[in-house]
Amino acid sequence: GKAVLAHPGDRLPNEKQAFVENLERLFTIRANDGFVVAFGPLLIAAVASVAPGGCIRFSPKPEKTSRYLREGLVDLEIGVQSNMGPEIRLQRLFQDRFVGAVRKEHPLSLQPDVSLDDYVAWGHVVASPDGSLHGFVDDALAERGMKRKVASVVPGFPTALSVALASDLIAMVPALYLLNQPMNERVHVFELPFKTRTITVSQMWHPRMERDPGHRWLREKVLEVCRAVR
């Protein structure tokens, strides 16, 4: 009969294990610090345990652009899909939502529900990679004729949470970001008193990497870790 040549990405389990064990490769993942803190340690540990020659490098993500994927500067982009272009491949990882966070001793921590009046009565620390003072929260409040006091703008969620823990300010963070965090016993989390959009976080890559065996394995690992945490 006619021999069928297997694609290098379609490996049998034993061949795949040997391939992974001998994999020596630097993978660059562009993601915001919220994802890196929540999922990075587990992903790095998962890769190191089976591919000792592999290295995961996380690259900061100050803005949304497909340029890094198109130019081959990163292997994966992780985040909310936005204007990435029709050719960029995408796989959904998980859904998340925003919650409010204050220190455990904050007066709001004593209330079963936080009202809109309560929410705007306190100052806020805002996580904004591009430094913007205005976001969808402000639009939601403006629809109700309300406004919040922004006391500080910081680059990312880790800093926002640190500021909230050291002050009476309110931070807003993705719920999954708080999973497995050592400071969890110091944080009081509450549902926001207005409707917010659900966040769909995906991994994205350029089609040139679609069948690359190492890249396929990395995507499987990312998906596996994200689904396990959820």
Side-chain angles (χ1 to χ4, degrees), residues 30-45:
R30 191 169 178 263
N32 66 34
D33 53 5
F35 178 89
V36 177
V37 171
F39 298 94
L42 294 172
L43 178 61
I44 292 166

Side-chain angles (χ1 to χ4, degrees), residues 30-132:
R30 191 169 178 263
N32 66 34
D33 53 5
F35 178 89
V36 177
V37 171
F39 298 94
L42 294 172
L43 178 61
I44 292 166
V47 168
S49 67
V50 293
C55 177
I56 302 292
R57 174 171 62 191
F58 284 105
S59 170
K61 186 178 177 179
E63 83 284 0
K64 292 181 181 179
T65 173
S66 60
R67 179 174 71 84
Y68 295 87
L69 290 175
R70 285 202 176 95
E71 295 180 9
L73 300 173
V74 301
D75 293 284
L76 281 178
E77 177 106 15
I78 294 179
V80 178
Q81 189 232 1
S82 174
N83 304 321
M84 295 298 283
E87 83 280 15
I88 298 298
R89 301 287 192 265
L90 179 144
Q91 181 180 42
R92 176 175 144 175
L93 296 173
F94 57 86
Q95 283 196 313
D96 202 356
R97 74 188 199 287
F98 284 110
V99 294
V102 293
R103 62 185 178 85
K104 267 277 167 62
E105 300 79 17
H106 196 287
L108 288 181
S109 68
L110 303 174
Q111 300 178 205
D113 295 300
V114 172
S115 69
L116 271 171
D117 288 334
D118 295 327
Y119 189 74
V120 299
W122 297 90
H124 294 253
V125 53
V126 175
S128 175
D130 63 3
S132 175

